[in-house]
Amino acid sequence: MPKAHRRVTHGSPTHLGARWDGTGTNFALFSAHATKVELCLFDSNGRREIERVELPEYTHEVFHGYLPEVRPGQLYGYRVHGPYAPEAGHRFNPNKLLIDPYALELRGEMRWHDAAFGYRIGSNRADLSFDRRDSASIMPKCVVVDPAVTWGDDIRPNTAWQDTIVYEAHVKGMTALREDLPPQLRGTFAGLADPNVIDHLVKLGVTAIELLPAQSFFNDRHLVERGLTNYWGYNTVNFFSPATRYISPGAGIHEFKLMVRRLHQAGIEVILDVVYNHTAEGNQMGPTLSFRGIDNASYYVLADDPRYYYDTTGTGNNVNLKNERVLQMVMDSLRYWVQECHVDGFRFDLASTLGRDRDTFDPSAVFFDTIRQDPVLSAVKMIAEPWDTGPGGYQVGNYPPLWAEWNDKYRDTVRGFWKGDDGLAGDLASNLLGAANLFEKRGRKPWACVSFVTAHDGFTLMDVVSYNDKHNEANGENNNDGHSHNLSWNCGAEGETDDPEILDLRDRMRRNLIATMLLSQGTPMVLMGDENGRTQGGNNNSYCQDDEMNWLKWDNVGERDQAFQTFVSNLIRIRKTRSLLGQRKFLHAEEVDETGTRDVQWFRPNGEPMEHGDWDNGLTRSMTMMLANAEERLAIFINAHYEPIEFTLPAGFEDGWTVLVDTATGVAAPRRGKSAEGNYAVEGRALVLLESLK
């Protein structure tokens, strides 16, 4: 074991983590149950432990010490001593090198070996045994960092929620196939910051990019052994450091900040998909990487038998936000990404777990209340994935003010309606207006409804119209993974086809789906690659596929997909320039504004007002929605029947109108017209948007 010879002073417990002050570095680590903490310093390549220093002070459950000569770039980790007593919830093992929960940068990738586990794999009572092998050689190392960076004239876009259009993307997937980028930049933050990549987002018209997890995560051992990858990244091991796989060779954490600055210059906000509900350490049979070895009983929610973990995430553990120091770590992490990295918001994976007291979800849980009163975090965008796998975990519409929520009911309704399922007309109407039945409470606005028809988890848009069933064989689980309720329709052939009629129908169906979403009230979210026909070959659970199945194609985009991309960008432009399509209030058919104009009206195709019987009729598949104010008047004709229908024009359109969108023809640009008969023919399975010429 290396001997300690460096001078160390008491330091301060105030700021957790490794904090360089220009002269030396203060190290501080919370643990309520440890007996001793050793700081391990490594050489520049992280292979040799050159020094081990016991942190000399313990104040307010924080071990701390100051090393005058330690500078940025120094590699380090911790060994934490204490009882190994799983029956009491304690799993200390100083043979395991541990990651600092507050590390701002990690160096190196995880190299899996049995030494990563605190217990002896293969013993009769594995989870109660004790493993004495040293794990330092296989572990990534923490890096002392000077976080200072010159932001120059960086200005946050601060896009209003009602004007926000989200683009869900993957850091590597966005640029892995960009042949105009140097190979070492493809799949990195620097690649995403490339002007040509950003120009694609600008031309498309989105206002925010929501990145799948970019905080540090590892490839799970079971995936590595099967030749697969944790591609999505939903297994965080550290909440402050960016994933090393997205940092180009020789660069550091400032590469992430450069990406944010360039996106801001283009008017695009950056939203991070974050995973604070669980960690990569899994259940009692998982590895000892950080939190488990630092203070298992504080960082995790334990079961009634403390050898086990309470789990509502399906991954083995729940982070214990009822512990004030663990809650502090999460809040410090969020503030770090906002204040130091200029991030504009967060999407929280399985957010219901963050508001739990075991089996009960509480919208006034300490986590939500703490964010609401925080002057930094309450000013950025907060999006919940409003469910988890535990009792009562499905909580769509039940989050407190400040929060937006993924609305999977929107996805299912829109897909089912256009597929031809019965009884969805009323649900479609509600979702077109932002799902007031779910979100209109406590002063919440339509933007609280994040409307999507596709997301990373599930089929792409092209696959929704190309496959009836999932095809997940590549994941190595005999096609048993992923859900089977996809509400998809292959339009007559499963998967790839050369049949022009089927291809034409698929084009029309994806235009219907994307147009419905972009013409709805609420916050629309576009999935990366949907704009140009990206397919996963029917795989609806591509979490482990780091290949072209998940990467955005840039070259050899066919004429159909080029036309569809133009259609999407024109749709977004129409949405941005019509205030009726992004309202600040919920619309109701019975309400009128100060000029006596009714906000929204619903008509049958023959022009008669919709009645209760129409909404209750399971066969209702066509309707007109008219939006109006003193300046604008829009009519949306929706025909999910397979045959054409003559729609009667609403009052105010008889003297002339402009076709803004027609999904039957692919039109998403102004085309004027007039009908002496007062009718407009809508093709089967099509949507039309008209604007009055008044």
PDB file of all heavy atoms in Angstrom, residues 560-590:
ATOM      1  N   ARG A 560     -38.374  10.399 -50.899  1.00  0.00           N
ATOM      2  CA  ARG A 560     -39.540  10.403 -50.014  1.00  0.00           C
ATOM      3  C   ARG A 560     -39.196  11.034 -48.666  1.00  0.00           C
ATOM      4  O   ARG A 560     -39.964  11.838 -48.133  1.00  0.00           O
ATOM      5  CB  ARG A 560     -40.053   8.974 -49.804  1.00  0.00           C
ATOM      6  CG  ARG A 560     -40.730   8.358 -51.015  1.00  0.00           C
ATOM      7  CD  ARG A 560     -41.183   6.934 -50.715  1.00  0.00           C
ATOM      8  NE  ARG A 560     -41.853   6.321 -51.854  1.00  0.00           N
ATOM      9  CZ  ARG A 560     -43.147   6.430 -52.116  1.00  0.00           C
ATOM     10  NH1 ARG A 560     -43.924   7.129 -51.301  1.00  0.00           N
ATOM     11  NH2 ARG A 560     -43.682   5.852 -53.168  1.00  0.00           N
ATOM     12  N   ASP A 561     -38.061  10.642 -48.127  1.00  0.00           N
ATOM     13  CA  ASP A 561     -37.687  11.153 -46.810  1.00  0.00           C
ATOM     14  C   ASP A 561     -37.239  12.607 -46.878  1.00  0.00           C
ATOM     15  O   ASP A 561     -37.444  13.370 -45.934  1.00  0.00           O
ATOM     16  CB  ASP A 561     -36.594  10.273 -46.203  1.00  0.00           C
ATOM     17  CG  ASP A 561     -37.116   8.881 -45.862  1.00  0.00           C
ATOM     18  OD1 ASP A 561     -38.311   8.765 -45.537  1.00  0.00           O
ATOM     19  OD2 ASP A 561     -36.331   7.914 -45.928  1.00  0.00           O
ATOM     20  N   GLN A 562     -36.616  13.009 -47.974  1.00  0.00           N
ATOM     21  CA  GLN A 562     -36.290  14.423 -48.143  1.00  0.00           C
ATOM     22  C   GLN A 562     -37.566  15.260 -48.176  1.00  0.00           C
ATOM     23  O   GLN A 562     -37.641  16.326 -47.557  1.00  0.00           O
ATOM     24  CB  GLN A 562     -35.487  14.629 -49.430  1.00  0.00           C
ATOM     25  CG  GLN A 562     -34.077  14.065 -49.382  1.00  0.00           C
ATOM     26  CD  GLN A 562     -33.346  14.243 -50.708  1.00  0.00           C
ATOM     27  OE1 GLN A 562     -33.763  15.019 -51.573  1.00  0.00           O
ATOM     28  NE2 GLN A 562     -32.259  13.519 -50.878  1.00  0.00           N
ATOM     29  N   ALA A 563     -38.565  14.754 -48.893  1.00  0.00           N
ATOM     30  CA  ALA A 563     -39.842  15.474 -48.958  1.00  0.00           C
ATOM     31  C   ALA A 563     -40.503  15.529 -47.591  1.00  0.00           C
ATOM     32  O   ALA A 563     -41.099  16.547 -47.214  1.00  0.00           O
ATOM     33  CB  ALA A 563     -40.768  14.796 -49.979  1.00  0.00           C
ATOM     34  N   PHE A 564     -40.400  14.439 -46.836  1.00  0.00           N
ATOM     35  CA  PHE A 564     -41.009  14.435 -45.506  1.00  0.00           C
ATOM     36  C   PHE A 564     -40.301  15.409 -44.577  1.00  0.00           C
ATOM     37  O   PHE A 564     -40.942  16.105 -43.777  1.00  0.00           O
ATOM     38  CB  PHE A 564     -40.979  13.025 -44.918  1.00  0.00           C
ATOM     39  CG  PHE A 564     -41.704  12.925 -43.599  1.00  0.00           C
ATOM     40  CD1 PHE A 564     -43.086  12.985 -43.547  1.00  0.00           C
ATOM     41  CD2 PHE A 564     -41.001  12.801 -42.410  1.00  0.00           C
ATOM     42  CE1 PHE A 564     -43.763  12.907 -42.340  1.00  0.00           C
ATOM     43  CE2 PHE A 564     -41.661  12.720 -41.195  1.00  0.00           C
ATOM     44  CZ  PHE A 564     -43.047  12.777 -41.161  1.00  0.00           C
ATOM     45  N   GLN A 565     -38.991  15.494 -44.676  1.00  0.00           N
ATOM     46  CA  GLN A 565     -38.254  16.449 -43.846  1.00  0.00           C
ATOM     47  C   GLN A 565     -38.691  17.882 -44.155  1.00  0.00           C
ATOM     48  O   GLN A 565     -38.856  18.704 -43.246  1.00  0.00           O
ATOM     49  CB  GLN A 565     -36.752  16.286 -44.072  1.00  0.00           C
ATOM     50  CG  GLN A 565     -35.903  17.196 -43.196  1.00  0.00           C
ATOM     51  CD  GLN A 565     -34.438  16.794 -43.232  1.00  0.00           C
ATOM     52  OE1 GLN A 565     -34.091  15.628 -43.050  1.00  0.00           O
ATOM     53  NE2 GLN A 565     -33.572  17.763 -43.478  1.00  0.00           N
ATOM     54  N   THR A 566     -38.881  18.182 -45.435  1.00  0.00           N
ATOM     55  CA  THR A 566     -39.379  19.504 -45.811  1.00  0.00           C
ATOM     56  C   THR A 566     -40.773  19.731 -45.247  1.00  0.00           C
ATOM     57  O   THR A 566     -41.093  20.823 -44.756  1.00  0.00           O
ATOM     58  CB  THR A 566     -39.401  19.643 -47.344  1.00  0.00           C
ATOM     59  OG1 THR A 566     -38.071  19.483 -47.851  1.00  0.00           O
ATOM     60  CG2 THR A 566     -39.938  21.008 -47.758  1.00  0.00           C
ATOM     61  N   PHE A 567     -41.607  18.705 -45.291  1.00  0.00           N
ATOM     62  CA  PHE A 567     -42.958  18.786 -44.739  1.00  0.00           C
ATOM     63  C   PHE A 567     -42.915  19.124 -43.252  1.00  0.00           C
ATOM     64  O   PHE A 567     -43.648  19.998 -42.775  1.00  0.00           O
ATOM     65  CB  PHE A 567     -43.677  17.453 -44.975  1.00  0.00           C
ATOM     66  CG  PHE A 567     -45.069  17.383 -44.411  1.00  0.00           C
ATOM     67  CD1 PHE A 567     -46.141  17.906 -45.113  1.00  0.00           C
ATOM     68  CD2 PHE A 567     -45.311  16.777 -43.184  1.00  0.00           C
ATOM     69  CE1 PHE A 567     -47.438  17.841 -44.600  1.00  0.00           C
ATOM     70  CE2 PHE A 567     -46.597  16.699 -42.663  1.00  0.00           C
ATOM     71  CZ  PHE A 567     -47.662  17.239 -43.378  1.00  0.00           C
ATOM     72  N   VAL A 568     -42.039  18.463 -42.502  1.00  0.00           N
ATOM     73  CA  VAL A 568     -41.947  18.692 -41.055  1.00  0.00           C
ATOM     74  C   VAL A 568     -41.468  20.101 -40.765  1.00  0.00           C
ATOM     75  O   VAL A 568     -42.021  20.807 -39.899  1.00  0.00           O
ATOM     76  CB  VAL A 568     -41.024  17.649 -40.402  1.00  0.00           C
ATOM     77  CG1 VAL A 568     -40.820  17.972 -38.921  1.00  0.00           C
ATOM     78  CG2 VAL A 568     -41.603  16.243 -40.552  1.00  0.00           C
ATOM     79  N   SER A 569     -40.433  20.554 -41.462  1.00  0.00           N
ATOM     80  CA  SER A 569     -39.915  21.902 -41.202  1.00  0.00           C
ATOM     81  C   SER A 569     -40.952  22.964 -41.561  1.00  0.00           C
ATOM     82  O   SER A 569     -41.084  23.979 -40.859  1.00  0.00           O
ATOM     83  CB  SER A 569     -38.610  22.139 -41.965  1.00  0.00           C
ATOM     84  OG  SER A 569     -38.805  22.041 -43.360  1.00  0.00           O
ATOM     85  N   ASN A 570     -41.728  22.732 -42.628  1.00  0.00           N
ATOM     86  CA  ASN A 570     -42.787  23.685 -42.977  1.00  0.00           C
ATOM     87  C   ASN A 570     -43.900  23.676 -41.925  1.00  0.00           C
ATOM     88  O   ASN A 570     -44.460  24.720 -41.587  1.00  0.00           O
ATOM     89  CB  ASN A 570     -43.368  23.352 -44.352  1.00  0.00           C
ATOM     90  CG  ASN A 570     -42.443  23.760 -45.487  1.00  0.00           C
ATOM     91  OD1 ASN A 570     -41.561  24.598 -45.304  1.00  0.00           O
ATOM     92  ND2 ASN A 570     -42.619  23.160 -46.648  1.00  0.00           N
ATOM     93  N   LEU A 571     -44.221  22.505 -41.403  1.00  0.00           N
ATOM     94  CA  LEU A 571     -45.213  22.411 -40.335  1.00  0.00           C
ATOM     95  C   LEU A 571     -44.782  23.215 -39.112  1.00  0.00           C
ATOM     96  O   LEU A 571     -45.579  23.946 -38.510  1.00  0.00           O
ATOM     97  CB  LEU A 571     -45.396  20.951 -39.931  1.00  0.00           C
ATOM     98  CG  LEU A 571     -46.562  20.156 -40.516  1.00  0.00           C
ATOM     99  CD1 LEU A 571     -46.453  18.709 -40.083  1.00  0.00           C
ATOM    100  CD2 LEU A 571     -47.899  20.740 -40.084  1.00  0.00           C
ATOM    101  N   ILE A 572     -43.519  23.058 -38.738  1.00  0.00           N
ATOM    102  CA  ILE A 572     -43.011  23.789 -37.571  1.00  0.00           C
ATOM    103  C   ILE A 572     -43.066  25.287 -37.821  1.00  0.00           C
ATOM    104  O   ILE A 572     -43.425  26.075 -36.932  1.00  0.00           O
ATOM    105  CB  ILE A 572     -41.582  23.324 -37.234  1.00  0.00           C
ATOM    106  CG1 ILE A 572     -41.626  21.877 -36.713  1.00  0.00           C
ATOM    107  CG2 ILE A 572     -40.931  24.246 -36.213  1.00  0.00           C
ATOM    108  CD1 ILE A 572     -40.262  21.271 -36.450  1.00  0.00           C
ATOM    109  N   ARG A 573     -42.758  25.686 -39.046  1.00  0.00           N
ATOM    110  CA  ARG A 573     -42.818  27.118 -39.378  1.00  0.00           C
ATOM    111  C   ARG A 573     -44.254  27.633 -39.272  1.00  0.00           C
ATOM    112  O   ARG A 573     -44.504  28.729 -38.768  1.00  0.00           O
ATOM    113  CB  ARG A 573     -42.271  27.339 -40.788  1.00  0.00           C
ATOM    114  CG  ARG A 573     -42.104  28.812 -41.170  1.00  0.00           C
ATOM    115  CD  ARG A 573     -41.431  28.951 -42.519  1.00  0.00           C
ATOM    116  NE  ARG A 573     -40.115  28.324 -42.523  1.00  0.00           N
ATOM    117  CZ  ARG A 573     -39.815  27.210 -43.198  1.00  0.00           C
ATOM    118  NH1 ARG A 573     -40.749  26.603 -43.920  1.00  0.00           N
ATOM    119  NH2 ARG A 573     -38.602  26.710 -43.157  1.00  0.00           N
ATOM    120  N   ILE A 574     -45.203  26.834 -39.726  1.00  0.00           N
ATOM    121  CA  ILE A 574     -46.615  27.218 -39.614  1.00  0.00           C
ATOM    122  C   ILE A 574     -47.014  27.345 -38.157  1.00  0.00           C
ATOM    123  O   ILE A 574     -47.688  28.301 -37.754  1.00  0.00           O
ATOM    124  CB  ILE A 574     -47.499  26.189 -40.347  1.00  0.00           C
ATOM    125  CG1 ILE A 574     -47.312  26.325 -41.867  1.00  0.00           C
ATOM    126  CG2 ILE A 574     -48.972  26.356 -39.965  1.00  0.00           C
ATOM    127  CD1 ILE A 574     -47.904  25.179 -42.660  1.00  0.00           C
ATOM    128  N   ARG A 575     -46.599  26.386 -37.345  1.00  0.00           N
ATOM    129  CA  ARG A 575     -46.939  26.444 -35.916  1.00  0.00           C
ATOM    130  C   ARG A 575     -46.376  27.716 -35.274  1.00  0.00           C
ATOM    131  O   ARG A 575     -47.049  28.385 -34.487  1.00  0.00           O
ATOM    132  CB  ARG A 575     -46.387  25.209 -35.194  1.00  0.00           C
ATOM    133  CG  ARG A 575     -46.685  25.231 -33.696  1.00  0.00           C
ATOM    134  CD  ARG A 575     -46.040  24.079 -32.945  1.00  0.00           C
ATOM    135  NE  ARG A 575     -46.318  24.183 -31.521  1.00  0.00           N
ATOM    136  CZ  ARG A 575     -47.360  23.640 -30.909  1.00  0.00           C
ATOM    137  NH1 ARG A 575     -48.228  22.933 -31.601  1.00  0.00           N
ATOM    138  NH2 ARG A 575     -47.535  23.806 -29.610  1.00  0.00           N
ATOM    139  N   LYS A 576     -45.147  28.048 -35.605  1.00  0.00           N
ATOM    140  CA  LYS A 576     -44.495  29.201 -34.980  1.00  0.00           C
ATOM    141  C   LYS A 576     -45.149  30.527 -35.370  1.00  0.00           C
ATOM    142  O   LYS A 576     -45.102  31.489 -34.606  1.00  0.00           O
ATOM    143  CB  LYS A 576     -43.018  29.238 -35.377  1.00  0.00           C
ATOM    144  CG  LYS A 576     -42.146  28.214 -34.688  1.00  0.00           C
ATOM    145  CD  LYS A 576     -40.701  28.377 -35.131  1.00  0.00           C
ATOM    146  CE  LYS A 576     -39.758  27.506 -34.338  1.00  0.00           C
ATOM    147  NZ  LYS A 576     -38.347  27.686 -34.762  1.00  0.00           N
ATOM    148  N   THR A 577     -45.759  30.573 -36.545  1.00  0.00           N
ATOM    149  CA  THR A 577     -46.293  31.844 -37.048  1.00  0.00           C
ATOM    150  C   THR A 577     -47.795  31.974 -36.861  1.00  0.00           C
ATOM    151  O   THR A 577     -48.387  32.949 -37.316  1.00  0.00           O
ATOM    152  CB  THR A 577     -45.939  32.009 -38.539  1.00  0.00           C
ATOM    153  OG1 THR A 577     -46.379  30.855 -39.267  1.00  0.00           O
ATOM    154  CG2 THR A 577     -44.437  32.188 -38.727  1.00  0.00           C
ATOM    155  N   ARG A 578     -48.432  31.015 -36.192  1.00  0.00           N
ATOM    156  CA  ARG A 578     -49.873  31.089 -35.895  1.00  0.00           C
ATOM    157  C   ARG A 578     -50.059  30.969 -34.390  1.00  0.00           C
ATOM    158  O   ARG A 578     -49.901  29.882 -33.812  1.00  0.00           O
ATOM    159  CB  ARG A 578     -50.657  29.973 -36.600  1.00  0.00           C
ATOM    160  CG  ARG A 578     -51.137  30.354 -38.001  1.00  0.00           C
ATOM    161  CD  ARG A 578     -50.012  30.424 -38.994  1.00  0.00           C
ATOM    162  NE  ARG A 578     -50.474  30.793 -40.341  1.00  0.00           N
ATOM    163  CZ  ARG A 578     -49.647  30.935 -41.372  1.00  0.00           C
ATOM    164  NH1 ARG A 578     -48.340  30.736 -41.218  1.00  0.00           N
ATOM    165  NH2 ARG A 578     -50.126  31.289 -42.553  1.00  0.00           N
ATOM    166  N   SER A 579     -50.374  32.072 -33.769  1.00  0.00           N
ATOM    167  CA  SER A 579     -50.492  32.089 -32.310  1.00  0.00           C
ATOM    168  C   SER A 579     -51.586  31.156 -31.817  1.00  0.00           C
ATOM    169  O   SER A 579     -51.550  30.687 -30.677  1.00  0.00           O
ATOM    170  CB  SER A 579     -50.758  33.510 -31.817  1.00  0.00           C
ATOM    171  OG  SER A 579     -51.995  33.997 -32.333  1.00  0.00           O
ATOM    172  N   LEU A 580     -52.588  30.867 -32.654  1.00  0.00           N
ATOM    173  CA  LEU A 580     -53.666  29.969 -32.253  1.00  0.00           C
ATOM    174  C   LEU A 580     -53.165  28.555 -31.966  1.00  0.00           C
ATOM    175  O   LEU A 580     -53.827  27.790 -31.264  1.00  0.00           O
ATOM    176  CB  LEU A 580     -54.732  29.902 -33.350  1.00  0.00           C
ATOM    177  CG  LEU A 580     -55.644  31.128 -33.492  1.00  0.00           C
ATOM    178  CD1 LEU A 580     -56.487  31.005 -34.755  1.00  0.00           C
ATOM    179  CD2 LEU A 580     -56.529  31.285 -32.267  1.00  0.00           C
ATOM    180  N   LEU A 581     -51.986  28.205 -32.483  1.00  0.00           N
ATOM    181  CA  LEU A 581     -51.487  26.841 -32.329  1.00  0.00           C
ATOM    182  C   LEU A 581     -50.584  26.668 -31.109  1.00  0.00           C
ATOM    183  O   LEU A 581     -50.105  25.564 -30.848  1.00  0.00           O
ATOM    184  CB  LEU A 581     -50.735  26.417 -33.595  1.00  0.00           C
ATOM    185  CG  LEU A 581     -51.595  26.370 -34.864  1.00  0.00           C
ATOM    186  CD1 LEU A 581     -50.734  26.059 -36.077  1.00  0.00           C
ATOM    187  CD2 LEU A 581     -52.711  25.341 -34.713  1.00  0.00           C
ATOM    188  N   GLY A 582     -50.351  27.734 -30.380  1.00  0.00           N
ATOM    189  CA  GLY A 582     -49.542  27.635 -29.169  1.00  0.00           C
ATOM    190  C   GLY A 582     -50.078  28.572 -28.117  1.00  0.00           C
ATOM    191  O   GLY A 582     -49.438  29.566 -27.772  1.00  0.00           O
ATOM    192  N   GLN A 583     -51.224  28.265 -27.575  1.00  0.00           N
ATOM    193  CA  GLN A 583     -51.924  29.213 -26.707  1.00  0.00           C
ATOM    194  C   GLN A 583     -51.442  29.123 -25.263  1.00  0.00           C
ATOM    195  O   GLN A 583     -50.963  28.095 -24.797  1.00  0.00           O
ATOM    196  CB  GLN A 583     -53.430  28.954 -26.784  1.00  0.00           C
ATOM    197  CG  GLN A 583     -53.959  29.018 -28.195  1.00  0.00           C
ATOM    198  CD  GLN A 583     -55.162  29.931 -28.334  1.00  0.00           C
ATOM    199  OE1 GLN A 583     -55.447  30.752 -27.498  1.00  0.00           O
ATOM    200  NE2 GLN A 583     -55.877  29.747 -29.426  1.00  0.00           N
ATOM    201  N   ARG A 584     -51.637  30.220 -24.550  1.00  0.00           N
ATOM    202  CA  ARG A 584     -51.226  30.315 -23.152  1.00  0.00           C
ATOM    203  C   ARG A 584     -52.307  29.812 -22.203  1.00  0.00           C
ATOM    204  O   ARG A 584     -52.084  29.747 -21.001  1.00  0.00           O
ATOM    205  CB  ARG A 584     -50.891  31.767 -22.799  1.00  0.00           C
ATOM    206  CG  ARG A 584     -49.783  32.373 -23.643  1.00  0.00           C
ATOM    207  CD  ARG A 584     -49.688  33.875 -23.401  1.00  0.00           C
ATOM    208  NE  ARG A 584     -48.699  34.500 -24.273  1.00  0.00           N
ATOM    209  CZ  ARG A 584     -47.436  34.725 -23.929  1.00  0.00           C
ATOM    210  NH1 ARG A 584     -47.024  34.370 -22.729  1.00  0.00           N
ATOM    211  NH2 ARG A 584     -46.595  35.293 -24.760  1.00  0.00           N
ATOM    212  N   LYS A 585     -53.484  29.513 -22.724  1.00  0.00           N
ATOM    213  CA  LYS A 585     -54.581  29.073 -21.866  1.00  0.00           C
ATOM    214  C   LYS A 585     -55.223  27.835 -22.466  1.00  0.00           C
ATOM    215  O   LYS A 585     -55.101  27.557 -23.666  1.00  0.00           O
ATOM    216  CB  LYS A 585     -55.627  30.174 -21.724  1.00  0.00           C
ATOM    217  CG  LYS A 585     -56.336  30.501 -23.037  1.00  0.00           C
ATOM    218  CD  LYS A 585     -57.469  31.503 -22.839  1.00  0.00           C
ATOM    219  CE  LYS A 585     -58.213  31.740 -24.160  1.00  0.00           C
ATOM    220  NZ  LYS A 585     -59.372  32.635 -23.984  1.00  0.00           N
ATOM    221  N   PHE A 586     -55.918  27.080 -21.628  1.00  0.00           N
ATOM    222  CA  PHE A 586     -56.681  25.947 -22.121  1.00  0.00           C
ATOM    223  C   PHE A 586     -57.929  26.440 -22.834  1.00  0.00           C
ATOM    224  O   PHE A 586     -58.578  27.401 -22.396  1.00  0.00           O
ATOM    225  CB  PHE A 586     -57.077  25.027 -20.963  1.00  0.00           C
ATOM    226  CG  PHE A 586     -55.933  24.200 -20.437  1.00  0.00           C
ATOM    227  CD1 PHE A 586     -55.253  24.585 -19.295  1.00  0.00           C
ATOM    228  CD2 PHE A 586     -55.542  23.039 -21.090  1.00  0.00           C
ATOM    229  CE1 PHE A 586     -54.206  23.826 -18.800  1.00  0.00           C
ATOM    230  CE2 PHE A 586     -54.491  22.277 -20.613  1.00  0.00           C
ATOM    231  CZ  PHE A 586     -53.820  22.670 -19.464  1.00  0.00           C
ATOM    232  N   LEU A 587     -58.267  25.798 -23.942  1.00  0.00           N
ATOM    233  CA  LEU A 587     -59.427  26.175 -24.740  1.00  0.00           C
ATOM    234  C   LEU A 587     -60.599  25.245 -24.435  1.00  0.00           C
ATOM    235  O   LEU A 587     -60.421  24.037 -24.282  1.00  0.00           O
ATOM    236  CB  LEU A 587     -59.092  26.093 -26.230  1.00  0.00           C
ATOM    237  CG  LEU A 587     -57.890  26.915 -26.705  1.00  0.00           C
ATOM    238  CD1 LEU A 587     -57.686  26.733 -28.209  1.00  0.00           C
ATOM    239  CD2 LEU A 587     -58.048  28.386 -26.357  1.00  0.00           C
ATOM    240  N   HIS A 588     -61.795  25.856 -24.358  1.00  0.00           N
ATOM    241  CA  HIS A 588     -63.009  25.087 -24.105  1.00  0.00           C
ATOM    242  C   HIS A 588     -64.103  25.587 -25.038  1.00  0.00           C
ATOM    243  O   HIS A 588     -64.256  26.800 -25.256  1.00  0.00           O
ATOM    244  CB  HIS A 588     -63.450  25.230 -22.653  1.00  0.00           C
ATOM    245  CG  HIS A 588     -62.443  24.705 -21.667  1.00  0.00           C
ATOM    246  ND1 HIS A 588     -62.298  23.372 -21.417  1.00  0.00           N
ATOM    247  CD2 HIS A 588     -61.526  25.353 -20.895  1.00  0.00           C
ATOM    248  CE1 HIS A 588     -61.334  23.202 -20.523  1.00  0.00           C
ATOM    249  NE2 HIS A 588     -60.853  24.384 -20.190  1.00  0.00           N
ATOM    250  N   ALA A 589     -64.878  24.648 -25.583  1.00  0.00           N
ATOM    251  CA  ALA A 589     -65.875  24.990 -26.599  1.00  0.00           C
ATOM    252  C   ALA A 589     -66.939  25.936 -26.068  1.00  0.00           C
ATOM    253  O   ALA A 589     -67.527  26.709 -26.827  1.00  0.00           O
ATOM    254  CB  ALA A 589     -66.526  23.716 -27.146  1.00  0.00           C
ATOM    255  N   GLU A 590     -67.201  25.913 -24.765  1.00  0.00           N
ATOM    256  CA  GLU A 590     -68.282  26.744 -24.229  1.00  0.00           C
ATOM    257  C   GLU A 590     -67.825  28.164 -23.896  1.00  0.00           C
ATOM    258  O   GLU A 590     -68.639  29.008 -23.521  1.00  0.00           O
ATOM    259  CB  GLU A 590     -68.875  26.087 -22.975  1.00  0.00           C
ATOM    260  CG  GLU A 590     -67.938  26.014 -21.777  1.00  0.00           C
ATOM    261  CD  GLU A 590     -67.050  24.774 -21.811  1.00  0.00           C
ATOM    262  OE1 GLU A 590     -67.037  24.097 -22.865  1.00  0.00           O
ATOM    263  OE2 GLU A 590     -66.381  24.492 -20.805  1.00  0.00           O
TER     264      GLU A 590
END
